[in-house]
Amino acid sequence: MSRLLITGGAGYIGSHSAVVLSKIGHQVVLYDNLSNSSRAALENLDQIVGQHMPFVKGDVRNTELLASTLASHSIDAVIHFAGLKSVGESTDKPIDYYANNVQGAISLLQAMQMQRVTTLIFSSSATVYGNPQYLPLDETHPTSATNPYGRSKLQIEEMLRDVAKSDPNWRIACLRYFNPVGAHESSLIGESPTGIPNNLMPYIVQVAAGQQATLSIFGDDYPTPDGTGVRDYIHVMDVAEGHAAALDFLSKTNGWHAINLGTGNGRSVLEMVDAFEKASGRKVPYRVVARRVGDVAECYANPHKSDQLLGWKAARNLDDMCASSWQFHKATGLAVSQ
Ligand code: NAD
Ligand code: UFG
């Protein structure tokens, strides 16, 4: 079992991954600047795993603090979730995105090099495929970026490939997540965006809870079966388990690897509304509005490589994703009667 540093460990995907990795016996140290998360999430994490997880409050651009954390906890491997993730915001604040994401990754690599820690899992995204040229998306699909967030992910992936080429000690996996949704079964951790949500699932949840009046569906004239956008929604616990499988894979293999974490199933916005209504017993009123700038019609994974290399497949279904999102939201006490 390894001693792991999880950057961004107080956030949505990082916290679920910390639970999975800790439960299978890894020793986990969390590192986060809490810019998009809270100490409450850390307390809930401790409750789920039944022990205290060491936490360091710090920015990934603080190379000295990272290096001393790696050394003092004798860290074997790093899982790097920390970063900013809103596509729209990245267009308004590109400098913040390159600073947090790209500069943050450089700082982490410097600290790892200093301490001779050479195993790294990086949170990448299906956004690196840009506008799909064919579907489903496999890892050999050409990469491109249409916004600063996507470009920051792509730049980091390319940087990591160079790093892995430079020295055979490096073991690096770039996990390209599709659309993570859902929450841990305890309902103690989940996705809780601040302000009005940008993403579909948290928005649907707020409509069902009566906090937003209607869902705006961004276009119903796409060349898809019902005209609405199609994505590969994947349960966050499946994504978390994908990290455990990737860590195991890296213990046997060196080099750089890009691997999709998706289900292979494309679901339309209307299918998501329908599934959520069934899982929650609530209505999700919607209206169709104009397409959102930058959206693609369809995006879903070819999950073959993760199955082959990692022996990992998404196991949870759409009902699990919707029901756990709803349970988590109810547990936060924000849902009102309909
Ligand atoms: P999140 O915002 O919930 O978690 C990110 C965490 O990183 C937060 O706790 C935040 O406080 C922390 N953080 C941000 N900048 C930091 C910095 N400079 N130093 C230290 N900590 C910092 O986001 P998430 O949904 O859990 O995403 C985790 C990673 O996965 C991100 O890199 C994101 O780009 C990537 N990703 C997410 C999705 C998605 O749909 N959620 C999809 C693809 C890829
Ligand atoms: N949608 C709506 N109404 C909303 C929100 C979304 O109709 O209020 C639609 C979108 O048009 C799209 C689908 O729901 O068809 C999914 O949209 P999301 O914003 O939930 O997800 P995206 O696929 O656009 O983007 C997400 C992350 C990106 C990441 C990408 C691939 O936000 O950071 O998945 O991993 F890059």
mmCIF file of all heavy atoms in Angstrom, residues 251-282:
data_model
loop_
_atom_site.group_PDB
_atom_site.id
_atom_site.type_symbol
_atom_site.label_atom_id
_atom_site.label_comp_id
_atom_site.label_asym_id
_atom_site.label_seq_id
_atom_site.Cartn_x
_atom_site.Cartn_y
_atom_site.Cartn_z
ATOM 1 N N SER A 251 1.995 0.975 -10.647
ATOM 2 C CA SER A 251 2.992 0.270 -9.826
ATOM 3 C C SER A 251 3.719 -0.782 -10.675
ATOM 4 O O SER A 251 4.779 -1.268 -10.304
ATOM 5 C CB SER A 251 2.327 -0.381 -8.604
ATOM 6 O OG SER A 251 1.526 -1.463 -9.022
ATOM 7 N N LYS A 252 3.146 -1.095 -11.854
ATOM 8 C CA LYS A 252 3.757 -2.132 -12.719
ATOM 9 C C LYS A 252 4.300 -1.570 -14.019
ATOM 10 O O LYS A 252 4.894 -2.308 -14.798
ATOM 11 C CB LYS A 252 2.680 -3.177 -13.071
ATOM 12 C CG LYS A 252 2.088 -3.893 -11.866
ATOM 13 C CD LYS A 252 0.879 -4.731 -12.294
ATOM 14 C CE LYS A 252 -0.135 -4.852 -11.187
ATOM 15 N NZ LYS A 252 -1.507 -4.729 -11.649
ATOM 16 N N THR A 253 4.033 -0.291 -14.302
ATOM 17 C CA THR A 253 4.369 0.252 -15.621
ATOM 18 C C THR A 253 4.942 1.658 -15.495
ATOM 19 O O THR A 253 4.430 2.441 -14.686
ATOM 20 C CB THR A 253 3.079 0.421 -16.483
ATOM 21 O OG1 THR A 253 2.158 -0.565 -16.119
ATOM 22 C CG2 THR A 253 3.373 0.392 -17.952
ATOM 23 N N ASN A 254 5.926 1.988 -16.321
ATOM 24 C CA ASN A 254 6.406 3.373 -16.321
ATOM 25 C C ASN A 254 5.881 4.093 -17.564
ATOM 26 O O ASN A 254 5.073 3.552 -18.321
ATOM 27 C CB ASN A 254 7.933 3.417 -16.210
ATOM 28 C CG ASN A 254 8.587 2.865 -17.471
ATOM 29 O OD1 ASN A 254 7.923 2.310 -18.344
ATOM 30 N ND2 ASN A 254 9.891 3.025 -17.560
ATOM 31 N N GLY A 255 6.345 5.333 -17.765
ATOM 32 C CA GLY A 255 5.948 6.093 -18.949
ATOM 33 C C GLY A 255 4.700 6.927 -18.736
ATOM 34 O O GLY A 255 4.242 7.109 -17.607
ATOM 35 N N TRP A 256 4.181 7.427 -19.869
ATOM 36 C CA TRP A 256 3.018 8.342 -19.880
ATOM 37 C C TRP A 256 1.823 7.646 -20.509
ATOM 38 O O TRP A 256 1.961 7.019 -21.564
ATOM 39 C CB TRP A 256 3.390 9.568 -20.701
ATOM 40 C CG TRP A 256 2.342 10.617 -20.853
ATOM 41 C CD1 TRP A 256 2.180 11.714 -20.065
ATOM 42 C CD2 TRP A 256 1.333 10.709 -21.878
ATOM 43 N NE1 TRP A 256 1.136 12.483 -20.525
ATOM 44 C CE2 TRP A 256 0.594 11.895 -21.635
ATOM 45 C CE3 TRP A 256 0.977 9.916 -22.976
ATOM 46 C CZ2 TRP A 256 -0.469 12.301 -22.446
ATOM 47 C CZ3 TRP A 256 -0.092 10.316 -23.778
ATOM 48 C CH2 TRP A 256 -0.799 11.507 -23.507
ATOM 49 N N HIS A 257 0.682 7.757 -19.873
ATOM 50 C CA HIS A 257 -0.513 7.074 -20.376
ATOM 51 C C HIS A 257 -1.716 8.003 -20.292
ATOM 52 O O HIS A 257 -1.970 8.578 -19.227
ATOM 53 C CB HIS A 257 -0.805 5.819 -19.555
ATOM 54 C CG HIS A 257 0.389 4.927 -19.443
ATOM 55 N ND1 HIS A 257 0.653 3.922 -20.335
ATOM 56 C CD2 HIS A 257 1.422 4.932 -18.554
ATOM 57 C CE1 HIS A 257 1.789 3.332 -20.001
ATOM 58 N NE2 HIS A 257 2.284 3.928 -18.929
ATOM 59 N N ALA A 258 -2.453 8.119 -21.387
ATOM 60 C CA ALA A 258 -3.724 8.864 -21.363
ATOM 61 C C ALA A 258 -4.845 7.834 -21.413
ATOM 62 O O ALA A 258 -4.849 6.964 -22.284
ATOM 63 C CB ALA A 258 -3.814 9.790 -22.561
ATOM 64 N N ILE A 259 -5.755 7.923 -20.459
ATOM 65 C CA ILE A 259 -6.802 6.896 -20.352
ATOM 66 C C ILE A 259 -8.156 7.554 -20.070
ATOM 67 O O ILE A 259 -8.283 8.345 -19.126
ATOM 68 C CB ILE A 259 -6.465 5.890 -19.218
ATOM 69 C CG1 ILE A 259 -5.074 5.282 -19.444
ATOM 70 C CG2 ILE A 259 -7.529 4.791 -19.130
ATOM 71 C CD1 ILE A 259 -4.540 4.472 -18.264
ATOM 72 N N ASN A 260 -9.148 7.202 -20.870
ATOM 73 C CA ASN A 260 -10.515 7.703 -20.642
ATOM 74 C C ASN A 260 -11.126 7.083 -19.396
ATOM 75 O O ASN A 260 -10.975 5.874 -19.171
ATOM 76 C CB ASN A 260 -11.434 7.287 -21.801
ATOM 77 C CG ASN A 260 -11.171 8.056 -23.082
ATOM 78 O OD1 ASN A 260 -10.579 9.124 -23.056
ATOM 79 N ND2 ASN A 260 -11.624 7.506 -24.203
ATOM 80 N N LEU A 261 -11.847 7.883 -18.615
ATOM 81 C CA LEU A 261 -12.742 7.333 -17.596
ATOM 82 C C LEU A 261 -14.160 7.744 -17.992
ATOM 83 O O LEU A 261 -14.600 8.871 -17.719
ATOM 84 C CB LEU A 261 -12.411 7.841 -16.188
ATOM 85 C CG LEU A 261 -11.087 7.390 -15.549
ATOM 86 C CD1 LEU A 261 -11.034 7.819 -14.084
ATOM 87 C CD2 LEU A 261 -10.842 5.890 -15.663
ATOM 88 N N GLY A 262 -14.824 6.838 -18.675
ATOM 89 C CA GLY A 262 -16.204 7.078 -19.115
ATOM 90 C C GLY A 262 -16.942 5.762 -19.118
ATOM 91 O O GLY A 262 -16.348 4.699 -18.885
ATOM 92 N N THR A 263 -18.254 5.835 -19.389
ATOM 93 C CA THR A 263 -19.032 4.589 -19.402
ATOM 94 C C THR A 263 -19.172 4.024 -20.811
ATOM 95 O O THR A 263 -19.440 2.847 -20.988
ATOM 96 C CB THR A 263 -20.474 4.834 -18.887
ATOM 97 O OG1 THR A 263 -21.142 5.696 -19.811
ATOM 98 C CG2 THR A 263 -20.479 5.473 -17.504
ATOM 99 N N GLY A 264 -19.063 4.928 -21.816
ATOM 100 C CA GLY A 264 -19.333 4.522 -23.193
ATOM 101 C C GLY A 264 -20.786 4.770 -23.593
ATOM 102 O O GLY A 264 -21.142 4.607 -24.756
ATOM 103 N N ASN A 265 -21.622 5.185 -22.611
ATOM 104 C CA ASN A 265 -23.040 5.452 -22.916
ATOM 105 C C ASN A 265 -23.291 6.945 -23.033
ATOM 106 O O ASN A 265 -23.014 7.677 -22.082
ATOM 107 C CB ASN A 265 -23.956 4.935 -21.796
ATOM 108 C CG ASN A 265 -23.784 3.452 -21.574
ATOM 109 O OD1 ASN A 265 -23.739 2.681 -22.525
ATOM 110 N ND2 ASN A 265 -23.663 3.063 -20.314
ATOM 111 N N GLY A 266 -23.843 7.355 -24.152
ATOM 112 C CA GLY A 266 -24.226 8.761 -24.309
ATOM 113 C C GLY A 266 -25.671 8.953 -23.873
ATOM 114 O O GLY A 266 -26.541 8.160 -24.239
ATOM 115 N N ARG A 267 -25.920 9.984 -23.066
ATOM 116 C CA ARG A 267 -27.286 10.276 -22.595
ATOM 117 C C ARG A 267 -27.629 11.704 -22.963
ATOM 118 O O ARG A 267 -26.817 12.617 -22.736
ATOM 119 C CB ARG A 267 -27.377 10.182 -21.068
ATOM 120 C CG ARG A 267 -26.805 8.933 -20.510
ATOM 121 C CD ARG A 267 -27.780 7.804 -20.648
ATOM 122 N NE ARG A 267 -27.310 6.650 -19.907
ATOM 123 C CZ ARG A 267 -27.973 5.508 -19.853
ATOM 124 N NH1 ARG A 267 -29.110 5.362 -20.488
ATOM 125 N NH2 ARG A 267 -27.500 4.499 -19.155
ATOM 126 N N SER A 268 -28.853 11.915 -23.440
ATOM 127 C CA SER A 268 -29.261 13.279 -23.828
ATOM 128 C C SER A 268 -29.743 14.046 -22.596
ATOM 129 O O SER A 268 -30.025 13.449 -21.544
ATOM 130 C CB SER A 268 -30.383 13.207 -24.861
ATOM 131 O OG SER A 268 -31.589 12.838 -24.222
ATOM 132 N N VAL A 269 -29.871 15.348 -22.747
ATOM 133 C CA VAL A 269 -30.370 16.185 -21.646
ATOM 134 C C VAL A 269 -31.776 15.720 -21.249
ATOM 135 O O VAL A 269 -32.083 15.582 -20.057
ATOM 136 C CB VAL A 269 -30.380 17.685 -22.042
ATOM 137 C CG1 VAL A 269 -30.951 18.531 -20.912
ATOM 138 C CG2 VAL A 269 -28.981 18.168 -22.405
ATOM 139 N N LEU A 270 -32.620 15.440 -22.240
ATOM 140 C CA LEU A 270 -33.992 15.002 -21.914
ATOM 141 C C LEU A 270 -33.993 13.651 -21.195
ATOM 142 O O LEU A 270 -34.796 13.438 -20.287
ATOM 143 C CB LEU A 270 -34.846 14.939 -23.184
ATOM 144 C CG LEU A 270 -35.270 16.314 -23.730
ATOM 145 C CD1 LEU A 270 -35.960 16.177 -25.092
ATOM 146 C CD2 LEU A 270 -36.205 17.028 -22.743
ATOM 147 N N GLU A 271 -33.093 12.766 -21.573
ATOM 148 C CA GLU A 271 -32.988 11.480 -20.856
ATOM 149 C C GLU A 271 -32.580 11.707 -19.409
ATOM 150 O O GLU A 271 -33.045 11.012 -18.503
ATOM 151 C CB GLU A 271 -31.928 10.584 -21.516
ATOM 152 C CG GLU A 271 -32.385 9.816 -22.723
ATOM 153 C CD GLU A 271 -31.240 8.964 -23.257
ATOM 154 O OE1 GLU A 271 -30.461 9.466 -24.083
ATOM 155 O OE2 GLU A 271 -31.099 7.796 -22.839
ATOM 156 N N MET A 272 -31.700 12.683 -19.188
ATOM 157 C CA MET A 272 -31.250 12.981 -17.821
ATOM 158 C C MET A 272 -32.404 13.536 -16.984
ATOM 159 O O MET A 272 -32.567 13.179 -15.822
ATOM 160 C CB MET A 272 -30.083 13.988 -17.841
ATOM 161 C CG MET A 272 -28.809 13.461 -18.454
ATOM 162 S SD MET A 272 -28.210 11.972 -17.638
ATOM 163 C CE MET A 272 -27.550 12.653 -16.118
ATOM 164 N N VAL A 273 -33.202 14.399 -17.599
ATOM 165 C CA VAL A 273 -34.357 14.970 -16.889
ATOM 166 C C VAL A 273 -35.307 13.835 -16.497
ATOM 167 O O VAL A 273 -35.755 13.737 -15.346
ATOM 168 C CB VAL A 273 -35.080 16.012 -17.775
ATOM 169 C CG1 VAL A 273 -36.421 16.412 -17.179
ATOM 170 C CG2 VAL A 273 -34.195 17.243 -17.965
ATOM 171 N N ASP A 274 -35.564 12.960 -17.438
ATOM 172 C CA ASP A 274 -36.494 11.857 -17.205
ATOM 173 C C ASP A 274 -35.968 10.925 -16.097
ATOM 174 O O ASP A 274 -36.705 10.565 -15.170
ATOM 175 C CB ASP A 274 -36.638 11.098 -18.537
ATOM 176 C CG ASP A 274 -37.712 10.047 -18.456
ATOM 177 O OD1 ASP A 274 -38.817 10.395 -18.014
ATOM 178 O OD2 ASP A 274 -37.431 8.877 -18.789
ATOM 179 N N ALA A 275 -34.680 10.581 -16.180
ATOM 180 C CA ALA A 275 -34.089 9.676 -15.180
ATOM 181 C C ALA A 275 -34.114 10.326 -13.799
ATOM 182 O O ALA A 275 -34.378 9.668 -12.790
ATOM 183 C CB ALA A 275 -32.649 9.344 -15.574
ATOM 184 N N PHE A 276 -33.858 11.631 -13.763
ATOM 185 C CA PHE A 276 -33.835 12.309 -12.465
ATOM 186 C C PHE A 276 -35.242 12.376 -11.860
ATOM 187 O O PHE A 276 -35.414 12.183 -10.651
ATOM 188 C CB PHE A 276 -33.231 13.720 -12.581
ATOM 189 C CG PHE A 276 -32.887 14.269 -11.236
ATOM 190 C CD1 PHE A 276 -31.660 13.993 -10.663
ATOM 191 C CD2 PHE A 276 -33.814 14.991 -10.505
ATOM 192 C CE1 PHE A 276 -31.355 14.435 -9.388
ATOM 193 C CE2 PHE A 276 -33.526 15.434 -9.231
ATOM 194 C CZ PHE A 276 -32.287 15.157 -8.668
ATOM 195 N N GLU A 277 -36.228 12.641 -12.700
ATOM 196 C CA GLU A 277 -37.618 12.691 -12.186
ATOM 197 C C GLU A 277 -38.003 11.342 -11.591
ATOM 198 O O GLU A 277 -38.619 11.270 -10.530
ATOM 199 C CB GLU A 277 -38.581 13.092 -13.307
ATOM 200 C CG GLU A 277 -38.473 14.577 -13.652
ATOM 201 C CD GLU A 277 -39.509 15.030 -14.685
ATOM 202 O OE1 GLU A 277 -40.027 14.175 -15.430
ATOM 203 O OE2 GLU A 277 -39.774 16.246 -14.748
ATOM 204 N N LYS A 278 -37.611 10.266 -12.274
ATOM 205 C CA LYS A 278 -37.934 8.917 -11.770
ATOM 206 C C LYS A 278 -37.225 8.646 -10.443
ATOM 207 O O LYS A 278 -37.819 8.121 -9.496
ATOM 208 C CB LYS A 278 -37.518 7.859 -12.793
ATOM 209 C CG LYS A 278 -38.415 7.822 -14.007
ATOM 210 C CD LYS A 278 -38.309 6.491 -14.741
ATOM 211 C CE LYS A 278 -39.310 6.433 -15.888
ATOM 212 N NZ LYS A 278 -38.738 6.947 -17.145
ATOM 213 N N ALA A 279 -35.951 9.025 -10.352
ATOM 214 C CA ALA A 279 -35.160 8.710 -9.153
ATOM 215 C C ALA A 279 -35.587 9.552 -7.955
ATOM 216 O O ALA A 279 -35.492 9.103 -6.815
ATOM 217 C CB ALA A 279 -33.669 8.925 -9.444
ATOM 218 N N SER A 280 -36.057 10.774 -8.220
ATOM 219 C CA SER A 280 -36.349 11.689 -7.108
ATOM 220 C C SER A 280 -37.836 11.782 -6.795
ATOM 221 O O SER A 280 -38.211 12.248 -5.716
ATOM 222 C CB SER A 280 -35.839 13.096 -7.443
ATOM 223 O OG SER A 280 -36.586 13.631 -8.517
ATOM 224 N N GLY A 281 -38.680 11.413 -7.753
ATOM 225 C CA GLY A 281 -40.114 11.591 -7.562
ATOM 226 C C GLY A 281 -40.521 13.059 -7.646
ATOM 227 O O GLY A 281 -41.625 13.433 -7.262
ATOM 228 N N ARG A 282 -39.625 13.904 -8.147
ATOM 229 C CA ARG A 282 -39.916 15.343 -8.287
ATOM 230 C C ARG A 282 -40.055 15.696 -9.768
ATOM 231 O O ARG A 282 -39.481 15.029 -10.629
ATOM 232 C CB ARG A 282 -38.753 16.167 -7.711
ATOM 233 C CG ARG A 282 -38.580 16.018 -6.218
ATOM 234 C CD ARG A 282 -39.490 16.983 -5.510
ATOM 235 N NE ARG A 282 -39.357 16.922 -4.071
ATOM 236 C CZ ARG A 282 -39.097 17.975 -3.297
ATOM 237 N NH1 ARG A 282 -38.881 19.161 -3.812
ATOM 238 N NH2 ARG A 282 -39.045 17.845 -1.993
#
